[in-house]
Amino acid sequence: MGHRAGLRQLPPFRELHPEVRKALEVARCAAAPSPIYAVGGYVRDLLLGLRNVDIDLVVEGDAIAVARRVGQRLNIAVTPHPRFGTARLRLSEGITLDLATARSEQYPEPAALPEICPAPLLADLARRDFSTNAMATRIDRHRFGPLIDPLGGLEDLQRGQIRVLHDRSFIDDPTRIFRAARFEARYRFAIARDTLRLMKAAVRGRVIRNLAGPRIFTELLLIGKEPSAPLAIRRLSDRGVLAALHPNLAELPAAFGLLERMRRVLARSRSLPLLQSPSPGEAYLHAMLYPLHPRTVVAVVRRLNPPRRIAEKLVADLDACRRTARQLARAVDLRQSRMARLLDPLSPEARVVVLASLERGSKRRAVSRYLTYSWKIMPELRGKDLRHLGFPPGSLYREILAALRSAKLDGHLGTREDEVSFVRRRFARAALQD
Ligand code: ATP
């Protein structure tokens, strides 16, 4: 299962991206004489031999001060978060460096945000979500130190299992239920038996109810960014987590086919230039909500309580998807110009939902062809050409250019000359009138 066969030692520095190597060395110097550690998912993925561009570093001291020194040395901006004692630096090529002060956490009440206080590294590891995410290694001069693994993370990584570190873990922080499904699906790991029991007990104990909507929303978006999102969503559904969000989400199994088709659409869209790339996180959320009654959609969105702009977009997009699906269901004319009229006004996410919602057949082919190929087709003539042809500037241009594009989309216009004669023929009167 998963990557167990590929499990390896921490790599030598020469195997790291040069940018990362340099940043680690600079961070080590900036923290000296205190030690600095790589921790969490970054260490997990080093052991799995997987690329991870989000580097988490921990110091037993003032991480923000260390981050400022790193920023100065590398001449890059630092974004500090004083409340959490953390700071972020963005290196090139999407690499981020997060520095944190080692801390322990107290949960004032279930599912609330924790109160934090500085602590030794080992306490910082013990407050983490899963054993596989609770390993560290010191950054030594030009190499990683030995693996620091007080909680059995390496063994769990070898077994391919996700295990919480204490019995209250899911009660303290129910977002871990979502995180577990995400890692389970991403690495094809199993949830350890005791951990699954604790998770189910927590869901039965209604911990999800106490969880703030935006935190759930964030977790769902993170899941949607994973190529394995449908599996993670299925697991959440099987465990009654989604039904705990809203009873009507219990109907989600009906949408599994749609989620799977969405996975294929998004996978293809990574290699094909789609008419504007959709955000995968949002696209999956759309797909989850699409089969629900509009009133239920509004209720679920209210529960998730995302930023207002996003909430409004979600509801509007889903309305537009349903409308477009109805129009498509009735459509006899499947020309590309018709597809343009149907799909151009939609958001990128709504477009992929429409595509994923179609079963195999001529309609799906027409939509797919438009989104992956035809959308690029534009007339050669521009406004200035219309002026040369004697058309007075004005709102007519928009009409002419739209007509040109439609005709071109439907294969009636090959060359620039074709376009010129089309415009002369079709809009002759308009040109003469003025
Ligand atoms: P990814 O590969 O998706 O980025 P990650 O494990 O790096 O996964 P992050 O969300 O970047 O996850 O968090 C970094 C580390 O912080 C985790 O590896 C884990 O040790 C710790 N962590 C994150 N979220 C939680 C949480 N809810 N509870 C406890 N520890 C957490």
Side-chain angles (χ1 to χ4, degrees):
M1 186 190 292
H3 297 273
R4 277 176 289 171
L7 207 60
R8 45 180 282 169
Q9 308 266 309
L10 291 166
F13 263 32
R14 68 183 134 76
E15 284 182 17
L16 303 178
H17 189 291
E19 199 65 17
V20 172
R21 214 175 348 176
K22 183 165 154 211
L24 293 182
E25 177 58 15
V26 169
R28 183 185 70 79
C29 295
S34 299
I36 186 163
Y37 304 90
V39 291
Y42 180 63
V43 173
R44 173 197 68 217
D45 287 344
L46 283 175
L47 292 165
L48 290 170
L50 299 175
R51 182 181 148 80
N52 185 333
V53 291
D54 298 325
I55 303 168
D56 284 320
L57 301 179
V58 160
V59 287
E60 292 171 323
D62 185 351
I64 296 178
V66 175
R68 289 201 198 285
R69 288 198 285 278
V70 175
Q72 252 163 16
R73 286 279 305 276
L74 296 176
N75 201 15
I76 48 178
V78 178
T79 316
H81 300 285
R83 191 174 156 232
F84 300 105
T86 61
R88 170 166 288 192
L89 297 102
R90 289 185 193 284
L91 312 182
S92 61
E93 299 183 44
I95 303 168
T96 59
L97 205 62
D98 281 309
L99 279 105
T101 302
R103 63 183 195 237
S104 64
E105 291 177 344
Q106 291 278 323
Y107 289 84
E109 54 193 274
L113 287 175
E115 286 160 6
I116 58 184
C117 67
L121 176 74
L122 291 191
D124 184 289
L125 294 179
R127 65 142 183 112
R128 288 174 186 260
D129 49 0
F130 309 116
S131 62
T132 47
N133 293 349
M135 293 180 275
T137 175
R138 205 176 53 214
I139 312 288
D140 285 344
R141 201 177 152 77
H142 303 307
R143 64 183 174 84
F144 291 118
L147 187 69
I148 302 169
D149 178 23
L151 301 157
L154 186 62
E155 193 185 329
D156 285 331
L157 215 50
Q158 268 154 353
R159 288 188 180 185
Q161 73 175 6
I162 293 159
R163 188 169 56 78
V164 285
L165 302 177
H166 58 86
D167 286 1
R168 282 188 58 84
S169 190
F170 292 121
I171 297 168
D172 284 346
D173 181 355
T175 62
R176 292 171 186 161
I177 296 172
F178 294 83
R179 290 175 62 84
R182 181 153 62 89
F183 295 127
E184 174 187 24
R186 182 199 292 172
Y187 299 115
R188 297 290 194 273
F189 278 7
I191 310 274
R193 194 165 352 129
D194 278 357
T195 297
L196 194 58
R197 184 176 52 75
L198 294 167
M199 185 191 286
K200 286 183 174 162
V203 175
R204 271 199 311 276
R206 307 192 169 195
V207 290
I208 305 287
R209 191 187 273 186
N210 301 329
L211 197 54
R215 295 183 70 198
I216 304 175
F217 179 74
T218 304
E219 292 302 325
L220 291 177
L221 281 189
L222 286 173
I223 286 177
K225 287 188 183 154
E226 306 270 337
S228 56
L231 179 58
I233 296 169
R234 185 184 282 246
R235 291 286 176 262
L236 290 175
S237 173
D238 292 348
R239 291 173 190 143
V241 178
L242 298 181
L245 279 183
H246 190 283
N248 289 45
L249 280 174
E251 296 160 15
L252 195 73
F256 285 162
L258 175 62
L259 293 174
E260 187 49 34
R261 285 199 295 276
M262 178 61 88
R263 187 184 65 73
R264 280 188 242 132
V265 167
L266 292 173
R268 262 188 86 205
S269 80
R270 286 196 186 101
S271 51
L272 283 172
L274 273 192
L275 165 60
Q276 293 174 325
S277 342
S279 129
E282 273 187 52
Y284 273 112
L285 207 61
H286 280 59
M288 278 171 68
L289 301 183
Y290 179 65
L292 302 178
H293 188 279
R295 265 202 306 277
T296 313
V297 170
V298 171
V300 174
V301 171
R302 205 170 282 151
R303 169 69 179 99
L304 294 176
N305 192 20
R308 184 150 150 222
R309 187 181 49 81
I310 297 182
E312 285 170 359
K313 175 179 180 298
L314 243 171
V315 173
D317 269 358
L318 289 167
D319 280 345
C321 286
R322 276 189 291 269
R323 215 173 31 249
T324 310
R326 275 198 303 274
Q327 285 167 329
L328 267 170
R330 285 197 303 265
V332 186
D333 172 8
L334 296 181
R335 284 176 301 177
Q336 291 294 284
S337 57
R338 173 88 172 113
M339 296 301 117
R341 281 197 299 280
L342 283 174
L343 299 166
D344 280 352
L346 301 184
S347 76
E349 292 75 27
R351 287 183 197 128
V352 286
V353 172
V354 169
L355 177 56
S357 69
L358 292 166
E359 304 282 349
R360 268 207 190 94
S362 55
K363 291 181 179 170
R364 165 120 144 245
R365 276 198 302 279
V367 169
S368 170
R369 184 175 162 77
Y370 183 73
L371 291 182
T372 53
Y373 168 73
S374 308
W375 66 270
K376 283 171 278 190
I377 298 174
M378 290 293 164
E380 278 183 43
L381 298 188
R382 305 253 178 269
K384 69 173 177 359
D385 303 308
L386 299 182
R387 208 157 43 234
H388 286 150
L389 289 172
F391 292 97
S395 59
L396 177 68
Y397 277 29
R398 189 199 294 257
E399 196 188 320
I400 298 179
L401 292 173
L404 264 175
R405 180 164 189 248
S406 288
K408 188 143 182 159
L409 276 169
D410 296 338
H412 303 314
L413 306 174
T415 63
R416 188 184 168 86
E417 285 66 47
D418 293 341
E419 292 186 22
V420 171
S421 45
F422 172 85
V423 174
R424 286 212 166 109
R425 213 170 46 241
R426 202 46 196 278
F427 294 91
R429 237 191 248 156
L432 287 177
Q433 267 169 10
D434 298 79

